[in-house]
Amino acid sequence: MAERAGGANGNHGGVAVHIKDGLPPPPPRTSQEGSGCFVTVPFLQKLIAEVLGTYFLIFAGCAAVVVNSDENKVVTFPGIAIVWGLVVMVMVYSVGHISGAHFNPAVTIAFASCKRFPWKEVPAYVSAQVLGSTLASGTLRLIFSGKQDHFAGTLPSGSDVQSLVLEFIITFYLMFVISGVATDNRAIGELAGLAVGSTVLLNVMFAGPISGASMNPARSLGPAIVSSHYRGLWIYMVGPISGAIAGAWVYNIIRFTDKPLREITKSASFLKSSGRNGSA
């Protein structure tokens, strides 16, 4: 759940070779020159990382929900919250240096709104995240079929407005933390995964019984698509996206720095070590 700028592995783009009329090929194009026309291998790697990261995130979190519903609450509600927090932390550390570990359309859109992520890559990232969530939900549907089939999506337990406001607040909180650890070089980048995972755990603990604590449109959309259960889905589209955008912008407003504006607006890596590999 972090921003990503350029190639996180230090490989920023592919090389397009054109041979025409016997003329020598032009010099290789950089990613900034050719990224608008070509889908590069590094970008495909980032999309695969987003698909896999979102898949394992949704699979583990929703599996905890399903198993808890089917096996006499053996996981318990605090256990579900811990699973969500741990899987976020693990996946951030696993692929954060590759794709930025967004796993969340709201995070991707929020970073793009602050010019910390290219808008042209947003549709591909969001599609990858929704695909990963849908595949994970489908896998769970196949594994836990029949009497074990329980809807693992998010539903408001109270009024729609109550859940909408709660989703806005908790996603604001999550994005505020992400912005702090992902875009501010003064933060301890190595602890970013722990900070984000802990925030998810906290949010699920108090918001889960009310709204389901989605904080992620893909988390709600995947199970809804697989189960054809769309009641209240708009809440988990509007609340998290608007909350994430607000959280990112508020952190940018309160950010204090002596650096000139051009330095502030430069993208920072999610992990400090990523910056050393060329992603910042």
Side-chain angles (χ1 to χ4, degrees):
M1 293 181 181
E3 66 178 312
R4 180 206 50 78
N9 289 327
N11 189 354
H12 291 265
V15 176
V17 178
H18 303 276
I19 301 178
K20 184 178 180 181
D21 298 330
L23 297 176
R29 304 174 71 180
T30 64
S31 61
Q32 291 181 347
E33 294 173 333
S35 58
C37 302
F38 303 95
V39 177
T40 64
V41 171
F43 183 61
L44 290 176
Q45 291 172 329
K46 293 170 178 57
L47 294 182
I48 293 172
E50 284 294 302
V51 172
L52 292 175
T54 310
Y55 178 92
F56 290 119
L57 171 66
I58 301 303
F59 182 84
C62 289
V65 174
V66 172
V67 171
N68 190 62
S69 299
D70 184 62
E71 300 293 339
N72 298 318
K73 311 296 182 183
V74 64
V75 180
T76 72
F77 178 70
I80 293 174
I82 292 172
V83 169
W84 280 111
L86 285 178
V87 70
V88 168
M89 180 185 69
V90 168
M91 296 316 301
V92 165
Y93 285 129
S94 297
V95 298
H97 55 287
I98 299 175
S99 68
H102 292 194
F103 312 144
N104 186 338
V107 171
T108 301
I109 293 171
F111 274 133
S113 72
C114 296
K115 298 183 180 179
R116 293 183 173 275
F117 188 82
W119 275 108
K120 63 185 178 182
E121 295 183 8
V122 169
Y125 256 57
V126 171
S127 299
Q129 292 153 3
V130 173
L131 175 61
S133 176
T134 304
L135 290 175
S137 302
T139 304
L140 289 172
R141 186 78 180 271
L142 291 174
I143 296 174
F144 299 98
S145 57
K147 294 182 179 180
Q148 293 180 316
D149 183 15
H150 298 279
F151 179 59
T154 50
L155 291 170
S157 63
S159 68
D160 287 355
V161 174
Q162 181 188 44
S163 292
L164 177 65
V165 173
L166 193 56
E167 285 294 321
F168 177 90
I169 293 173
I170 62 177
T171 313
F172 179 105
Y173 176 28
L174 174 63
M175 192 65 206
F176 188 85
V177 172
I178 292 173
S179 296
V181 298
T183 69
D184 198 328
N185 288 328
R186 297 166 298 175
I188 303 175
E190 288 78 5
L191 298 180
L194 180 61
V196 176
S198 299
T199 304
V200 171
L201 189 157
L202 288 172
N203 284 344
V204 173
M205 285 293 288
F206 69 82
I210 308 299
S211 68
S214 174
M215 299 171 277
N216 185 342
R219 183 265 179 270
S220 297
L221 191 57
I225 292 173
V226 171
S227 300
S228 298
H229 200 307
Y230 301 104
R231 183 173 73 85
L233 186 61
W234 68 273
I235 296 171
Y236 305 103
M237 304 293 110
V238 176
I241 292 176
S242 57
I245 292 173
W249 276 94
V250 167
Y251 188 87
N252 281 346
I253 291 171
I254 69 169
R255 182 199 308 267
F256 173 80
T257 180
D258 320 308
K259 295 181 180 179
L261 181 60
R262 64 178 179 275
E263 292 293 332
I264 299 174
T265 56
K266 282 185 178 179
S267 296
S269 62
F270 187 65
L271 299 175
K272 299 283 185 172
S273 57
S274 304
R276 291 192 291 269
N277 289 332
S279 68

